Amino acid sequence: MLNKMILPTERMDIHKPEIICHLDELMQQRGLTQQQLSEDTGIAPAGIRAYEYNSFRRIDRETLSTIAGYFQLKSFDDLFTNNRRKAPGFIRGDISQQC
């Protein structure tokens, strides 16, 4: 009996990020570039790029707090969603209580 081969495109579906960052949408709403956000927040352009393109491996609390403060977010759900859960968002509560 032969095992089913997994094609590269199928394999990529397995690695879809569970947590989706919406920094790109927030930046677009304000007409910001990566460079502008970097200069305004002090976050390295590479860090901004990682969140913007959902290529981050971890979520740094200080960076998260800086982004939330800059965009005056009231909930982490305004910045992230979890695509593996049926319930919207993944972190509940006020940002000031979390950071």
Side-chain angles (χ1 to χ4, degrees):
M1 181 171 162
L2 296 173
N3 291 333
K4 179 184 173 197
M5 287 183 55
I6 298 175
L7 300 174
T9 55
E10 293 175 27
R11 201 173 305 128
M12 290 178 72
D13 289 342
I14 294 169
H15 300 290
K16 282 184 181 177
E18 290 185 31
I19 298 171
I20 306 297
C21 182
H22 301 288
L23 182 59
D24 58 337
E25 295 169 20
L26 293 169
M27 291 171 60
Q28 186 177 25
Q29 289 171 1
R30 293 204 183 178
L32 292 170
T33 65
Q34 291 174 0
Q35 187 63 37
Q36 289 170 320
L37 184 58
S38 175
E39 290 171 4
D40 290 350
T41 63
I43 300 169
I48 292 170
R49 190 169 28 261
Y51 287 108
E52 184 179 8
Y53 294 113
N54 288 294
S55 61
F56 57 92
R57 293 181 182 206
R58 66 181 181 86
I59 300 170
D60 179 74
R61 180 174 242 169
E62 185 175 329
T63 301
L64 179 60
S65 180
T66 300
I67 291 170
Y70 182 83
F71 288 102
Q72 299 176 342
L73 304 177
K74 295 187 176 161
S75 169
F76 290 117
D77 290 341
D78 295 335
L79 184 59
F80 295 102
T81 55
N82 183 341
N83 71 352
R84 302 279 173 137
R85 295 172 77 193
K86 295 194 185 235
F90 72 103
I91 300 176
R92 296 282 177 238
D94 188 310
I95 284 179
S96 63
Q97 296 170 357
Q98 303 278 333
C99 293

